[in-house]
Every structure is written in C-alpha cells, then in structure tokens.
Amino acid sequence: MGQITVRAASVSGDSHNWEGTCRQDAMTVARIGPPETEMLMLAVADGVGSASYSHIGSYHATRQAAVFLDQEAESIYSALCARNRADLSGIASTAIARAIEHLRAEWKTLADRAGRPYLDQDYATTLHVLLVPTNARIRERVLFSVGDGGLFVLREGRWAQWNRSEDTTVLETRTEALPHAYSSVKSTLLATKPGDVLLLGTDGITNPLAQKDQAFADHLAHAWGRPEIPSLSDFLWQAQTRAKSYDDDRTVICVWEEEA
C-alpha cells in the first residue's frame, strides 16, 4: 500500500505586508474519527478582506469544523465509501451549521463584553475542508466548500480543478461566506490515483492556477510533481512563488498520494 504525505503553509500576501495588516487566511490539519474510520481533515479558510474580524472568523471556522466533523466521522466515512453525495452534503451542511452556531454564541459574548454590536458579516470567511481516509486502500476523497478557493489535482504534470465554478475566465469579487451568506455546503467527490498530488488552497494560490497563469502553474507542477517530496522549508519557499497581479494571502495544503 502507498503512503500519504502532507505539507502545509499559510503566508501573508504582499498587500497585507505593504499595509502592515494581519493575515486573514487560516488552516487546520487534524486526524478525525476512530481508528477504523480515521481520516485526515485538511481545512483552509480565507477571511473576507472588508470584514473587520475575518481573521478571527477564518481561524475559528477551520478549528470548529474539525470538532463537529469529528463527531460525524463514522457517518461521513460510510457515505464516502458508498460515494453517496446526497448523504455527504447533508452531513456536512448540518455539521458546519452547528459549528457556526457555536461560534456565533462565542462571538456575541465577546462583542457584548467589548460593548459593541455583533454582526455576522464582521467575521465573514470562506471554508474548504478536504477529508482523506488514512486507509490507503480507500481511494475516495471528499471536499466540502463554501466560497472561492478550493481543490486542484496534479496528475501527469497537469493541474485540474475539481470544484470548478461556471466561469473561470473572469475573477468574481463577491463570494459566498460563513457565517451568513451561503446557501449550503457544496460537496465534491473524487477518486485519486497513486502518484497524484492534491492542492487545497485559498484564492491566493487557486486564482492564478484557475486564471491560466501558465508560468506559475508550470513552476509549481515542476516543484511539486517530482518524485522527491519537498522538505518543509522548500515547500514554504515554493508556496511563496509570486504570481503577477496576485497579492492576496496564500494558504496551501498539498497531499502526495505516493506509489506503493
């Protein structure tokens, strides 16, 4: 059986470095579920730039998603193995809704203590969660998504987007976001092959890939598609590769589906 290797990095974009403002991206890497149904939970979130406390929203959204998805891990695992998209969507939507209600209560308490009103939009953030069974015999994976960013797969030297929007030729400045402006959690199923590289990221890295910045895409494909998996320091350096006209925060988690 093959192995799974994970590398992750979250860095401030040039715009935030220039302005001296904080990074609004966040990520969480965790194991969820009991040993017989254990999965890696990889989550990235991008706080909406105009929201006052979106850095808090993104940070807590990834962590609370881990808590509430862990409670549903066995059901998710069963639905994933059965490739039951409807069940996966229902379980994920309920778990994320519960996580958000938990966070709302906390944020309202903090706002009351600070003597300010609580507004959902102040904490607006996207969220993408990739679940990967640790049992190498199980090749199914599932992505739960709210908002922009998402998942690419590097296979045979080429990037393919797995949660493609209707139109990737134009950048959309509006996006669905937690905790309020979303209809449901979208589910994307995929089956991987040994040798695949999965890239889960915020739009700081997925936009230049989706917008066909070929030099950027080729550079990362070369760096992350070689037989040797990069060290942590090399991965951090590679993750900061500049893409012209893209200066947002960048959070990326890569999963190498190694050959047996």
Side-chain angles (χ1 to χ4, degrees), residues 149-167:
L151 181 68
F152 280 76
V153 179
L154 179 62
R155 181 177 292 172
E156 298 178 354
R158 296 185 178 182
W159 294 106
Q161 189 173 7
W162 280 85
N163 61 323
R164 185 183 299 276
S165 62
E166 292 298 321
D167 183 4

Side-chain angles (χ1 to χ4, degrees), residues 144-212:
F144 299 135
S145 301
V146 177
D148 54 20
L151 181 68
F152 280 76
V153 179
L154 179 62
R155 181 177 292 172
E156 298 178 354
R158 296 185 178 182
W159 294 106
Q161 189 173 7
W162 280 85
N163 61 323
R164 185 183 299 276
S165 62
E166 292 298 321
D167 183 4
T168 59
T169 62
V170 178
L171 278 176
E172 175 59 69
T173 57
R174 295 170 299 173
T175 184
E176 286 194 323
L178 300 170
H180 68 301
Y182 77 106
S183 54
S184 65
V185 178
K186 298 183 177 72
S187 298
T188 304
L189 278 167
L190 67 150
T192 61
K193 299 178 180 179
D196 284 351
V197 181
L198 309 184
L199 184 156
L200 181 69
T202 56
D203 62 4
I205 194 165
T206 61
N207 274 351
L209 287 176
Q211 296 298 310
K212 310 304 182 186

Side-chain angles (χ1 to χ4, degrees), residues 23-26 44-48 51-65 99-100 103 107 118 120-127 178-179:
R23 173 170 50 89
Q24 294 170 309
D25 278 8
V44 300
D46 179 5
V48 174
S52 302
Y53 305 106
S54 65
H55 56 293
I56 297 173
S58 62
Y59 177 87
H60 288 289
T62 62
R63 282 150 179 78
Q64 285 303 313
I100 290 304
L103 289 174
W107 293 336
Y118 169 81
D120 265 354
Q121 54 265 37
D122 283 346
Y123 297 84
T125 182
T126 67
L127 178 67
L178 300 170

Side-chain angles (χ1 to χ4, degrees), residues 196-238:
D196 284 351
V197 181
L198 309 184
L199 184 156
L200 181 69
T202 56
D203 62 4
I205 194 165
T206 61
N207 274 351
L209 287 176
Q211 296 298 310
K212 310 304 182 186
D213 186 327
Q214 197 60 50
F216 179 81
D218 288 347
H219 177 80
L220 292 187
H222 175 73
W224 295 341
R226 294 181 294 178
E228 303 83 11
I229 295 173
S231 66
L232 290 172
S233 58
D234 283 345
F235 182 78
L236 175 60
W237 173 69
Q238 292 155 357

